[in-house]
Short mmCIF file of all heavy atoms in Angstrom, two decimals:
data_model
loop_
_atom_site.label_atom_id
_atom_site.label_comp_id
_atom_site.label_asym_id
_atom_site.label_seq_id
_atom_site.Cartn_x
_atom_site.Cartn_y
_atom_site.Cartn_z
N THR B 98 26.25 8.52 2.96
CA THR B 98 27.68 8.29 2.74
C THR B 98 27.98 6.88 2.22
O THR B 98 29.13 6.58 1.92
CB THR B 98 28.47 8.53 4.05
OG1 THR B 98 27.81 7.81 5.09
CG2 THR B 98 28.53 10.00 4.41
N LYS B 99 26.96 6.07 2.11
CA LYS B 99 27.19 4.71 1.58
C LYS B 99 27.31 4.74 0.05
O LYS B 99 26.64 5.56 -0.60
CB LYS B 99 26.05 3.78 2.01
CG LYS B 99 26.11 3.43 3.49
CD LYS B 99 25.29 2.19 3.79
CE LYS B 99 25.60 1.69 5.18
NZ LYS B 99 24.88 2.40 6.23
N PRO B 100 28.14 3.86 -0.51
CA PRO B 100 28.35 3.90 -1.98
C PRO B 100 27.22 3.22 -2.75
O PRO B 100 27.44 2.23 -3.45
CB PRO B 100 29.68 3.15 -2.14
CG PRO B 100 29.70 2.21 -1.00
CD PRO B 100 28.97 2.84 0.14
N ALA B 101 26.01 3.73 -2.57
CA ALA B 101 24.86 3.20 -3.33
C ALA B 101 23.91 4.35 -3.58
O ALA B 101 24.01 5.40 -2.92
CB ALA B 101 24.16 2.11 -2.51
N ASP B 102 23.01 4.17 -4.54
CA ASP B 102 22.05 5.23 -4.83
C ASP B 102 21.22 5.50 -3.57
O ASP B 102 20.58 4.58 -3.04
CB ASP B 102 21.14 4.81 -5.98
CG ASP B 102 20.10 5.87 -6.27
OD1 ASP B 102 20.49 6.94 -6.77
OD2 ASP B 102 18.92 5.63 -5.97
N ALA B 103 21.22 6.76 -3.12
CA ALA B 103 20.59 7.08 -1.84
C ALA B 103 19.09 6.79 -1.85
O ALA B 103 18.55 6.25 -0.88
CB ALA B 103 20.86 8.54 -1.48
N GLN B 104 18.43 7.17 -2.93
CA GLN B 104 16.98 6.95 -2.98
C GLN B 104 16.65 5.46 -2.92
O GLN B 104 15.74 5.03 -2.21
CB GLN B 104 16.38 7.55 -4.26
CG GLN B 104 14.86 7.49 -4.25
CD GLN B 104 14.23 7.74 -5.61
OE1 GLN B 104 14.84 8.38 -6.47
NE2 GLN B 104 13.04 7.23 -5.82
N GLY B 105 17.42 4.68 -3.67
CA GLY B 105 17.21 3.23 -3.66
C GLY B 105 17.44 2.66 -2.27
O GLY B 105 16.65 1.86 -1.76
N LEU B 106 18.51 3.13 -1.64
CA LEU B 106 18.89 2.61 -0.32
C LEU B 106 17.83 2.91 0.74
O LEU B 106 17.43 2.02 1.49
CB LEU B 106 20.24 3.23 0.09
CG LEU B 106 20.89 2.64 1.34
CD1 LEU B 106 21.27 1.19 1.12
CD2 LEU B 106 22.11 3.45 1.74
N ILE B 107 17.36 4.16 0.75
CA ILE B 107 16.39 4.52 1.81
C ILE B 107 15.02 3.87 1.57
O ILE B 107 14.16 3.88 2.44
CB ILE B 107 16.23 6.06 1.96
CG1 ILE B 107 15.83 6.72 0.63
CG2 ILE B 107 17.48 6.70 2.52
CD1 ILE B 107 14.41 7.04 0.49
N SER B 108 14.85 3.27 0.40
CA SER B 108 13.56 2.66 0.09
C SER B 108 13.49 1.16 0.37
O SER B 108 12.44 0.55 0.26
CB SER B 108 13.22 2.88 -1.39
OG SER B 108 13.30 4.23 -1.71
N VAL B 109 14.64 0.55 0.71
CA VAL B 109 14.64 -0.91 0.87
C VAL B 109 15.15 -1.39 2.23
O VAL B 109 15.25 -2.60 2.47
CB VAL B 109 15.48 -1.60 -0.24
CG1 VAL B 109 14.91 -1.33 -1.62
CG2 VAL B 109 16.95 -1.16 -0.18
N ARG B 110 15.48 -0.45 3.12
CA ARG B 110 16.16 -0.87 4.36
C ARG B 110 15.26 -1.58 5.36
O ARG B 110 15.74 -2.30 6.22
CB ARG B 110 16.80 0.35 5.03
CG ARG B 110 17.94 0.93 4.24
CD ARG B 110 18.49 2.16 4.91
NE ARG B 110 17.48 3.22 4.99
CZ ARG B 110 17.64 4.35 5.66
NH1 ARG B 110 18.74 4.56 6.34
NH2 ARG B 110 16.70 5.27 5.68
N GLU B 111 13.96 -1.32 5.31
CA GLU B 111 13.05 -1.91 6.30
C GLU B 111 12.07 -2.88 5.63
O GLU B 111 11.62 -2.63 4.51
CB GLU B 111 12.24 -0.80 7.00
CG GLU B 111 13.07 0.15 7.84
CD GLU B 111 13.52 -0.46 9.15
OE1 GLU B 111 12.83 -1.36 9.67
OE2 GLU B 111 14.59 -0.05 9.66
N PHE B 112 11.76 -3.94 6.34
CA PHE B 112 10.77 -4.89 5.82
C PHE B 112 10.03 -5.51 7.00
O PHE B 112 10.65 -6.05 7.92
CB PHE B 112 11.47 -5.99 5.00
CG PHE B 112 10.51 -7.01 4.46
CD1 PHE B 112 9.57 -6.65 3.51
CD2 PHE B 112 10.52 -8.31 4.93
CE1 PHE B 112 8.66 -7.57 3.01
CE2 PHE B 112 9.61 -9.25 4.44
CZ PHE B 112 8.68 -8.88 3.49
N ARG B 113 8.72 -5.35 7.02
CA ARG B 113 7.89 -5.90 8.10
C ARG B 113 7.16 -7.15 7.62
O ARG B 113 6.11 -7.04 6.98
CB ARG B 113 6.86 -4.87 8.57
CG ARG B 113 7.46 -3.58 9.06
CD ARG B 113 7.74 -3.64 10.55
NE ARG B 113 8.22 -2.36 11.04
CZ ARG B 113 9.49 -1.96 11.02
NH1 ARG B 113 10.42 -2.75 10.53
NH2 ARG B 113 9.83 -0.78 11.50
N LEU B 114 7.77 -8.27 7.89
CA LEU B 114 7.24 -9.55 7.38
C LEU B 114 5.79 -9.79 7.79
O LEU B 114 4.95 -10.16 6.97
CB LEU B 114 8.13 -10.68 7.88
CG LEU B 114 7.70 -12.10 7.49
CD1 LEU B 114 7.85 -12.31 5.98
CD2 LEU B 114 8.50 -13.15 8.24
N TRP B 115 5.49 -9.54 9.08
CA TRP B 115 4.15 -9.91 9.57
C TRP B 115 3.05 -9.04 8.98
O TRP B 115 1.89 -9.43 9.00
CB TRP B 115 4.11 -9.88 11.10
CG TRP B 115 5.13 -10.78 11.75
CD1 TRP B 115 5.95 -10.45 12.77
CD2 TRP B 115 5.43 -12.15 11.43
NE1 TRP B 115 6.75 -11.52 13.10
CE2 TRP B 115 6.45 -12.58 12.30
CE3 TRP B 115 4.94 -13.05 10.48
CZ2 TRP B 115 7.00 -13.85 12.26
CZ3 TRP B 115 5.48 -14.33 10.43
CH2 TRP B 115 6.48 -14.72 11.31
N SER B 116 3.42 -7.87 8.46
CA SER B 116 2.40 -7.03 7.83
C SER B 116 1.88 -7.67 6.54
O SER B 116 0.83 -7.29 6.03
CB SER B 116 2.95 -5.65 7.51
OG SER B 116 3.20 -4.97 8.71
N LEU B 117 2.64 -8.65 6.05
CA LEU B 117 2.16 -9.36 4.85
C LEU B 117 0.91 -10.19 5.16
O LEU B 117 0.27 -10.71 4.25
CB LEU B 117 3.27 -10.26 4.28
CG LEU B 117 4.46 -9.51 3.66
CD1 LEU B 117 5.44 -10.51 3.06
CD2 LEU B 117 4.01 -8.54 2.58
N THR B 118 0.58 -10.33 6.45
CA THR B 118 -0.67 -11.00 6.82
C THR B 118 -1.84 -10.32 6.12
O THR B 118 -2.77 -10.98 5.65
CB THR B 118 -0.88 -10.89 8.36
OG1 THR B 118 0.33 -11.24 9.00
CG2 THR B 118 -1.99 -11.80 8.85
N ASP B 119 -1.77 -8.98 6.05
CA ASP B 119 -2.83 -8.23 5.36
C ASP B 119 -2.90 -8.61 3.88
O ASP B 119 -3.98 -8.60 3.30
CB ASP B 119 -2.58 -6.72 5.48
CG ASP B 119 -3.12 -6.16 6.78
OD1 ASP B 119 -4.04 -6.78 7.35
OD2 ASP B 119 -2.63 -5.12 7.23
#
Side-chain angles (χ1 to χ4, degrees):
Chain B
T98 48
K99 287 199 168 82
D102 178 70
Q104 187 195 336
L106 189 65
I107 56 101
S108 307
V109 298
R110 293 177 298 172
E111 295 285 333
F112 179 67
R113 301 270 184 274
L114 178 68
W115 303 133
S116 292
L117 291 183
T118 313
D119 275 337

